[in-house]
Amino acid sequence: NLIGTAKAMCTAVLVTDSVTFIASRTYNSPTNAIRRLNADGTSTAITIPASLSGGAGEITSMVQNNGQLWVFSASVSTAIYYMAITATTLVAITGGSGYLTNAVVFNGSIYGTSASYGNRILYRYTGTTTTRSFVQVGNTGQSDADYTSKLFVYNNRIILTRSEGMFGYDGIRLVPIELAID
């Protein structure tokens, strides 16, 4: 059983060349969990820190970068975690501040948006495995928060979708691709 005996929903998925990670959250007694599924069908529970496992907030995004699994959660004070892809214990990054709600890997770096700014600002992660830090690389210019926004890489650009439209980042600037018309 991937998510245990309690009713749960999948909150994030990461598929790599060799393994798949599935994050889930139960809601009766909120609990987060991550399972690694290997190509041979074996399933391994990932040990996650207490700051993420309980009712802190759901896991919103997972990415692979430099042979590591990076996990993001928008509702906890620590909010960023990592481990080697082959490891079984996630480690919290406690230094610095800030978090990403949506995350992608682009040109060897982690980029993302933060719910604290309504997912309208695009950041590049400049932190390490001990300290969180970010640099702003783009802003949609929109004032409204959009907590349903999505972020993905397509055609050598980061694509940020929001209710106002679609924006693309090519490594230089974030520009509108298509804006919604009222």
Side-chain angles (χ1 to χ4, degrees), residues 94-108:
T94 56
S97 62
Y99 64 91
L100 298 175
T101 308
N102 300 314
V104 295
V105 174
F106 179 68
N107 291 339

Side-chain angles (χ1 to χ4, degrees), residues 14-118:
L14 172 65
V15 179
T16 73
D17 292 340
S18 58
V19 296
T20 299
F21 292 93
I22 300 174
S24 63
R25 180 173 175 84
T26 60
Y27 285 93
N28 295 340
S29 297
T31 304
N32 292 313
I34 299 175
R35 306 264 331 164
R36 179 178 51 228
L37 305 175
N38 295 327
D40 66 4
T42 59
S43 171
T44 303
I46 302 302
T47 303
I48 59 178
S51 60
L52 181 61
S53 64
E58 71 186 45
I59 295 167
T60 56
S61 192
M62 297 186 293
V63 298
Q64 176 185 1
N65 193 39
N66 295 326
Q68 297 171 323
L69 170 69
W70 289 75
V71 176
F72 304 90
S73 173
S75 301
V76 296
S77 60
T78 305
I80 301 177
Y81 306 83
Y82 81 99
M83 70 176 198
I85 288 289
T86 57
T88 58
T89 302
L90 210 55
V91 176
I93 300 173
T94 56
S97 62
Y99 64 91
L100 298 175
T101 308
N102 300 314
V104 295
V105 174
F106 179 68
N107 291 339
S109 296
I110 298 173
Y111 288 81
T113 60
S114 172
S116 66
Y117 292 101

